[in-house]
Amino acid sequence: MNEQPEVIVCVGTGGVGKTTISSAIGMAGALRGKKTLVMTIDPAKRLAQSMGIRELKNVPTPVPLRSLQQCGQPIRGSLDAMILETQTTFDNLIRKYSSSPQKADAILNNSYYHYVSGELAGSEDYMAMEKLYEIKKEYDYDLIVVDTPPARHAINFLTAPNRLIQLISSGVLKWLIRPSASVSMIGFNILNRAPQKIVKLLKSYVGLEIVEDLTEFFSEFNDLYSGFKSRAKEVNALLASPRVQFYMVTAPTRDAVDEAIYFYSIMKEYEINFAGFIVNKIHPPLYNDAARSKSGRIISTLDQDDPLRITLEETLAMDSIAINDQALIASLRAKVRSQKIQYYLSSLIMDRELTNLCTLVTIAQALDGVIG
Ligand SMILES: Nc1ncnc2c1ncn2[C@@H]1O[C@H](COP(=O)(O)OP(=O)(O)OP(=O)(O)O)[C@@H](O)[C@H]1O
Ligand SMILES: [Mg+2]
C-alpha cells in the first residue's frame, strides 16, 4: 500500500482513458470517505453528464452521489468535480500578477494574447498544474485527482513553468523591451538590426508582421515576471512533494505501451513521485487455461460448419485478445522493473459510454489501492 496521497495526477497519451480513470479514482476516494475533487479536462459528454458537470467550468461542484444507492454503495465521503478551462486559468493569473487592473486589461485585450498564451506557455499542461496549486491552497480537500491533456510532448507539463519564466527573462525579450524607444522604433530596430537568429525565432513563433503588437504585449507582460517566477517555483515544489503522486494511464496496445515506457523514461528524470502504471481497457479473459485447451480439443472433434464449433472458435478468438493484452502488460512490467512502481489493471467496460455512476464505481473498485 502507498502512503496516502493528497494529489494524484493521471498522465498518458491520447484516448487511453485518463479522464475516465481520474474520475474513477475520485470515486474511489469518495467511497473511502474522503473529501475528494476531480479536475477533469474535456470529459466525454456522457461522463460529464453523469457527474453533473457538463456546464460548469473551472469551479468545483458537487457530484450528486444519491444515485449510488442503486448500485448498493454506501456514500461516506464526497465527490466534487470541475472541468478545467485553461484559458480562464491563464487569464486569472495575468490579473493576479499585473501591477494594476489597467495593465491586466492591456495584456488580456492585446490581440495576440490568446495566441501567445497558448503557444508560449505550453499552457494546457501548465495550467492544469497551476490550477491544482491554486485549488490546493484555497480548499481543504483530502484528495485531489488531476486529469491532464494528452501528453503530446511528453514533458510539457513538467517543464512549462520553467519555460515560461525562461522566455520572459530571456535575452530576446530584454532586447525587445526598451522603455525609451517607441513601439514603432522597436519594430524598426527589429526589422533592420536584429540578429538573424532573433528574427528567425520571432518569425517562427508569430510572423514578422505582428511584431509591433507583440512588442507592446511583451513590455506589458514583462511586468508579471517576478510574480510568475515565484509562482513557478511554488508549483514546482508542490509537484515534487511526496504527497503528490503521478500515475501513467495506458492501454494494452503496442503503441500505447511503447509510449508509456518512453514517457516514463523521461518522467523519472524529474523530481516527482512516479507511483505506477494503470493499464486501462483490458479485455477480460473468457477461459482459464484448462477450459481453453478443453475447448480446443472439442473443436477438433466437430465438423467445420457445426454451430457449436463456430461459437467456440469465436469465443477463443475473443479470448486470444485477452491473452494478447496480458502479454503486453507482462512486457511493460519486464521493461519497467522497480519495487516502487505499482501496477493497476482496469477492464474494458462494455457500456462504452460509461452512462452512469455505478459504472464508474466498478472501475473505482479495481483502483482502490491507488489512494493508499
Ligand atoms: N475501461 C473502459 N472501458 C470502456 N470504455 C472506456 C474505458 N475507459 C475509457 N473508455 C472510453 O474511452 C474513451 C476515451 O476515454 P477518456 O476520454 O477517458 O480518455 P482520455 O485519455 O482522457 O482521452 P484524451 O486523451 O482525448 O483526453 C471514452 O469514450 C471512454 O468512455
Ligand atoms: Mg481526457
Side-chain angles (χ1 to χ4, degrees), residues 287 295 299 304 308-318:
Y287 293 109
S295 127
I299 286 174
Q304 289 286 349
L308 178 60
R309 178 177 180 139
I310 293 166
T311 310
L312 283 174
E313 278 175 346
E314 275 169 4
T315 43
L316 271 182
M318 279 164 70

Side-chain angles (χ1 to χ4, degrees), residues 6 51 57 71 79 126 129 133 158 202 212 224 237 239 241 249 251 259 278 281 323 340 346:
E6 288 168 8
M51 294 177 79
K57 309 257 166 165
C71 45
L79 181 61
Y126 175 35
M129 300 303 133
Y133 175 75
L158 295 173
L202 272 174
E212 285 191 5
L224 308 176
L239 295 185
S241 131
V249 182
E259 279 170 12
I278 297 170
K281 301 194 189 183
I323 294 175
K340 283 194 231 141
S346 157

Side-chain angles (χ1 to χ4, degrees), residues 101-290:
Q102 291 74 17
K103 287 228 166 174
D105 285 343
I107 292 177
L108 295 171
N109 295 329
N110 187 293
S111 53
Y112 296 102
Y113 166 66
H114 290 278
Y115 179 82
V116 171
S117 65
E119 285 298 305
L120 298 191
S123 64
E124 270 206 325
D125 310 272
Y126 175 35
M127 287 307 127
M129 300 303 133
E130 176 55 46
K131 194 72 192 173
L132 164 68
Y133 175 75
E134 186 187 310
I135 296 265
K136 188 102 181 64
K137 255 171 93 167
E138 290 176 12
Y139 294 78
D140 64 339
Y141 288 106
D142 301 321
L143 176 67
I144 302 175
V145 190
V146 188
D147 175 27
T148 57
R152 280 149 306 170
H153 309 294
I155 49 170
N156 257 3
F157 66 92
L158 295 173
T159 55
N162 290 341
R163 265 188 295 131
L164 181 62
I165 57 174
Q166 264 163 20
L167 195 94
I168 299 174
S169 63
S170 72
V172 179
L173 297 189
K174 291 227 174 79
W175 190 85
L176 271 176
I177 299 157
R178 293 183 185 173
S180 58
S182 74
V183 168
S184 61
M185 264 306 284
I186 295 170
F188 180 81
N189 278 347
I190 289 166
L191 292 171
N192 291 288
R193 291 197 273 138
Q196 277 311 103
K197 239 169 97 183
I198 295 176
V199 174
K200 216 171 137 198
L201 186 72
L202 272 174
K203 213 174 183 176
S204 68
Y205 274 130
V206 284
L208 274 177
E209 65 276 14
I210 65 153
V211 159
E212 285 191 5
D213 211 358
L214 193 69
T215 306
E216 189 181 77
F217 168 74
F218 275 128
S219 48
E220 303 289 353
F221 206 77
N222 198 41
D223 202 35
L224 308 176
Y225 176 62
S226 62
F228 267 101
K229 196 172 171 182
S230 60
R231 184 82 166 190
K233 241 188 195 158
E234 289 164 32
V235 174
N236 284 339
L238 171 67
L239 295 185
S241 131
R243 290 299 175 98
V244 178
Q245 298 183 353
F246 284 74
Y247 277 90
M248 173 94 58
V249 182
T250 184
T253 65
R254 186 77 266 167
D255 284 355
V257 167
D258 285 349
E259 279 170 12
I261 292 168
Y262 165 70
F263 195 177
Y264 165 74
S265 73
I266 293 175
M267 284 183 76
K268 72 174 189 214
E269 303 299 323
Y270 285 82
E271 229 185 292
I272 54 162
N273 297 292
F274 185 85
F277 291 91
I278 297 170
V279 188
N280 182 34
K281 301 194 189 183
I282 299 174
H283 295 83
L286 302 177
Y287 293 109
N288 61 27
D289 285 350

Side-chain angles (χ1 to χ4, degrees), residues 13-20 150 280-281 346-349 352 354:
T13 47
V16 290
K18 295 175 295 300
T19 306
T20 309
N280 182 34
K281 301 194 189 183
S346 157
S347 294
L348 184 72
I349 304 281
R352 291 192 70 91
L354 303 174

